[in-house]
Amino acid sequence: MSSILVYSERESVALELLTFAATLAPQAVGVALLGQEAAAWAKDCFAHGAGRAYANADPALADLQADVLAEALAQIVQLADACVGYSDVILLGSTLRGREVAGRLAQKLNAGCITDANGLLWENGQLVATRYALGGNTISTEVIRSARKVIAVMPQTIQAAPTAGASRGEMIEAQLSLLPSPVKTVERRAKQAGSVNVESAEVLVCVGRGVNEQADLVMIQALADALGGVIGCTRPVSHDKHWLPESQMIGMSGKLSSPRLYIGLGLSGQIQHTVGIRGAKVAVAVNSDKNAPIFKAADYGIVGDLYQVAPELTKKFTAR
Amino acid sequence: MHIIVCMKQIIDLEKIRIKADTREPVLEGVPVRFGDFEKNALEEAVRIKEKQSDPSTSSGQVVKITAVAIGSLKLKDTIKEALAIGADEAILLTDPAFNGSDPMGTARALAKIIQKLGGGDLILLGEGSTDNHTGQVPSRLAELMGLPQVTYVRELAVLEGGVVPNGRIRAVRDLEDAQEVVEVGLPAVVSVTGELNTPRLPPLTAILKAARKPTKTWGLNDLGVAASEVGANASTIQVLSNLAPVQQRKQVVFEGEVGETVNELLKALEREGVLSA
């Protein structure tokens, strides 16, 4: 490996990626700091192992449009090639924005790309990534064969930690030639931040389409409360019905959770959801259809109507 | 206005079996269908066409929808659904030379097809395929064609009286912590999420009529692509292994009267020691 370039539009993710990169190529890790906000991250990035920070706050980067970000990164790759040697690995955060930048950047670099990597290690002289494939049915272990390799890594795959003995890095004002994107952001609507943290929950009670009305979530909340747990849901509940914040959606395109106890009620158990609870110590399912796939992904199941089972569970858990 | 919808044929993920001894997925003989988000993309194209051709809601421009689909020989059947939903014509890529393409190979093939079709105004794709969901193809395609990209779209509108010759769109993009409302002139590449719409179930008459709509099958030669540029040989990704994770759930199921089943469950959870921290 010659050198590594790291970029994420989220500082926490950039620090995670730098922590990993510093273990591979401690002398040759660079970070791209794009846009006004990112310039302030340099010190933390150096502490996490970046030897160089390539900063640019061109107004064209203000809205973090994918086409401009990809162009900026492609130009920084060229710069880094000249500074520290051929940049063969570009690590990005696999946020939604990071993933779309990854594809565009990889195409500019004529590079292979792996997105949504949930594991990354250096093995037998090559960078090996894992990701879910076939809709979550399998885990694919992959390497990239092209000279440049773009890998977008899921947030929280790596634990960020300052690098021992990291010295002051070199700040480089990167001279880039950027054009504004033809895509104009006319409005930004912040989503309501969920106060519920499903990722670190000890007990997670999940609901799906089997819940008839939003008001019925009171009954589910009572069950979660009886166990000291929180509520999560499948995609239709958060994204179609909007009964719960999207930050509480569990599964492939949502959050992953490793609770001590998972209880799924009124959800069929499609792989896109159950992928999110693979880490659960014990999984329980309640569904009126005894053929529902969720029973295959559960340790214990009750075939029954959640409107009868949930209150009964609440009553018995409370009485303990 | 020419809308090109790119659709991927996938295997039915719910029907994949896992070999117990090797944890390998069994893919042979699994039924095929279109990916979820591609159907949302097609549905949106049909809604745009319906709206544009209605004099009460628009200036009445002619909209043509071409479905471009990549898949196995079974695609000749699968495509009927797309034509029944409302695509006017279909281009199929069933050449085995494309098998095993990585996202770069797929994007290259799509770019060639779209160029051959005259470029198109609005190019719609799912934000990721339902099977491997790399999400790279929309971005790579946009880059290859030198077009702007708008990804993760959950609301889409064609703006009237746009200043750009081919028209202008407004889209709401769904990111983790915010929605972004963006505007861009066409042509553009747009990728969509499942929240965009609910795809219609075509009536039987539409399915019968679909067989009469023009369908062309193009191969490597039609696209002017070398065999070395696509397919497994050109893939930049080497898969070392692709196995189901080890997951041993006990799968104990209680049936019967509610009070009794709940008691059984409670006993089991107490044995597991998961009822208190």
Side-chain angles (χ1 to χ4, degrees):
Chain A
M1 175 164 326
S2 305
S3 77
I4 305 180
L5 181 69
V6 165
Y7 171 74
S8 175
E9 79 285 1
R10 283 195 211 164
E11 185 186 12
S12 61
V13 180
L15 298 182
E16 291 165 16
L17 298 176
L18 285 170
T19 302
F20 177 78
T23 64
L24 298 184
Q27 305 309 315
V29 179
V31 62
L33 301 175
L34 301 176
Q36 287 278 334
E37 199 193 340
W41 306 344
K43 204 177 148 203
D44 280 343
C45 288
F46 293 144
H48 285 74
R52 284 172 191 75
Y54 304 89
N56 186 292
D58 191 299
L61 290 161
D63 286 327
L64 302 178
Q65 301 290 1
D67 50 355
V68 189
L69 286 173
E71 179 58 30
L73 289 169
Q75 292 182 23
I76 289 174
V77 165
Q78 305 288 341
L79 257 177
D81 282 358
C83 278
V84 280
Y86 191 76
S87 316
D88 41 10
V89 176
I90 296 101
L91 296 179
L92 305 176
S94 207
T95 57
L96 292 175
R97 202 187 295 281
R99 200 172 64 193
E100 68 162 336
V101 171
R104 192 141 191 159
L105 173 64
Q107 196 59 45
K108 277 181 194 290
L109 300 175
N110 201 25
C113 173
I114 295 171
T115 52
D116 288 353
N118 54 19
L120 193 59
L121 53 102
W122 181 253
E123 205 174 64
N124 304 327
Q126 54 186 356
L127 204 47
V128 180
T130 53
R131 70 187 306 277
Y132 284 118
L134 294 174
N137 279 289
T138 55
I139 294 174
S140 179
T141 305
E142 307 177 347
V143 294
I144 302 177
R145 294 195 282 210
S146 53
R148 294 211 207 264
K149 305 160 198 341
V150 177
I151 304 181
V153 184
M154 298 285 283
Q156 294 175 32
T157 298
I158 300 148
Q159 189 160 12
T163 304
S167 57
R168 263 180 60 91
E170 184 187 353
M171 189 75 178
I172 297 167
E173 298 297 330
Q175 300 297 313
L176 308 178
S177 165
L178 301 174
L179 291 173
S181 175
V183 182
K184 303 293 173 207
T185 302
V186 295
E187 191 190 340
R188 214 180 128 79
R189 305 169 183 161
K191 285 184 187 174
Q192 204 188 342
S195 51
V196 171
N197 186 342
V198 290
E199 285 167 303
S200 61
E202 281 283 308
V203 175
L204 180 67
V205 179
C206 275
V207 289
R209 273 191 257 236
V211 173
N212 296 328
E213 291 182 53
Q214 186 169 17
D216 299 338
L217 290 178
V218 174
M219 171 184 81
I220 305 298
Q221 186 66 54
L223 172 58
D225 288 346
L227 289 161
V230 302
I231 298 188
C233 62
T234 59
R235 193 170 171 106
V237 175
S238 53
H239 286 63
D240 294 340
K241 297 179 192 287
H242 306 289
W243 290 350
L244 288 169
E246 291 173 13
S247 56
Q248 279 166 256
M249 196 262 282
I250 303 291
M252 194 82 161
S253 52
K255 297 282 163 51
L256 308 183
S257 184
S258 302
R260 163 162 53 85
L261 174 61
Y262 161 91
I263 304 180
L265 303 108
L267 52 86
S268 64
Q270 295 207 354
I271 189 91
Q272 286 88 340
H273 170 69
T274 55
V275 134
I277 51 135
R278 269 196 184 133
K281 181 158 181 267
V282 172
V284 172
V286 178
N287 198 300
S288 52
D289 173 9
K290 73 173 183 185
N291 296 316
I294 189 65
F295 290 121
K296 294 256 188 295
D299 296 294
Y300 302 99
I302 292 181
V303 179
D305 179 359
L306 77 92
Y307 283 86
Q308 293 176 12
V309 176
E312 185 70 15
L313 280 171
T314 306
K315 197 173 91 189
K316 299 245 163 91
F317 284 136
T318 310
R320 281 183 78 254
Chain B
M1 184 184 203
H2 188 190
I3 305 179
I4 298 174
V5 185
C6 305
M7 306 186 73
K8 182 180 184 184
Q9 180 196 47
I10 60 164
I11 55 173
D12 193 335
L13 301 170
E14 303 292 324
K15 305 224 161 70
I16 293 176
R17 281 191 311 110
I18 301 295
K19 283 186 197 162
D21 50 347
T22 60
R23 292 188 285 126
E24 286 170 310
V26 181
L27 307 180
E28 291 76 28
V30 178
V32 292
R33 61 179 180 86
F34 278 124
D36 296 334
F37 303 147
E38 287 98 319
K39 281 200 218 170
N40 296 108
L42 178 61
E43 172 68 29
E44 197 65 16
V46 177
R47 290 186 190 189
I48 291 169
K49 178 171 178 165
E50 287 167 350
K51 203 170 169 192
Q52 294 288 320
S53 59
D54 179 352
S56 68
T57 52
S58 91
S59 45
Q61 67 167 316
V62 178
V63 177
K64 179 182 169 187
I65 302 171
T66 303
V68 172
I70 301 183
S72 67
L73 290 169
K74 291 179 187 161
L75 198 52
K76 290 197 167 70
D77 276 325
T78 319
I79 197 66
K80 284 179 191 153
E81 186 187 11
L83 292 165
I85 288 173
D88 297 304
E89 60 167 22
I91 308 294
L92 309 184
L93 226 61
T94 55
D95 196 325
F98 293 102
N99 290 352
S101 289
D102 67 355
M104 177 144 51
T106 303
R108 273 193 193 131
L110 288 173
K112 291 279 187 189
I113 295 172
I114 293 167
Q115 275 155 13
K116 198 171 153 103
L117 288 169
D121 299 302
L122 177 60
I123 297 157
L124 291 173
L125 303 91
E127 59 108 339
S129 61
T130 311
D131 52 358
N132 285 344
H133 210 278
T134 74
Q136 293 178 33
V137 174
S139 296
R140 284 185 182 269
L141 179 61
E143 173 63 26
L144 275 168
M145 300 190 67
L147 294 179
Q149 65 186 69
V150 182
T151 51
Y152 316 115
V153 168
R154 64 177 298 154
E155 285 175 44
L156 182 61
V158 175
L159 300 178
E160 290 290 318
V163 288
V164 179
N166 308 55
R168 204 169 167 79
I169 54 167
R170 172 182 291 223
V172 180
R173 308 179 61 212
D174 220 342
L175 300 178
E176 289 95 341
D177 54 351
Q179 291 187 351
E180 284 181 358
V181 186
V182 301
E183 287 186 17
V184 68
L186 298 177
V189 173
V190 171
S191 83
V192 310
T193 71
E195 285 70 41
L196 183 64
N197 55 45
T198 305
R200 69 194 67 189
L201 294 169
L204 187 62
T205 49
I207 296 170
L208 293 173
K209 263 200 269 182
R212 275 178 275 155
K213 289 187 175 179
T215 302
K216 291 178 203 144
T217 302
W218 287 349
L220 279 181
N221 293 339
D222 299 294
L223 301 187
V225 179
S228 59
E229 285 180 89
V230 293
N233 290 336
S235 175
T236 53
I237 303 296
Q238 183 183 358
V239 176
L240 303 179
S241 71
N242 186 26
L243 301 174
V246 183
Q247 177 75 284
Q248 298 295 341
R249 292 287 181 200
K250 297 192 178 78
Q251 301 181 21
V252 177
V253 175
F254 306 114
E255 285 183 82
E257 192 268 323
V258 173
E260 281 172 27
T261 55
V262 167
N263 283 339
E264 293 286 338
L265 175 64
L266 242 70
K267 274 187 242 163
L269 295 181
E270 272 175 13
R271 277 196 305 274
E272 295 277 0
V274 291
L275 285 184
S276 49

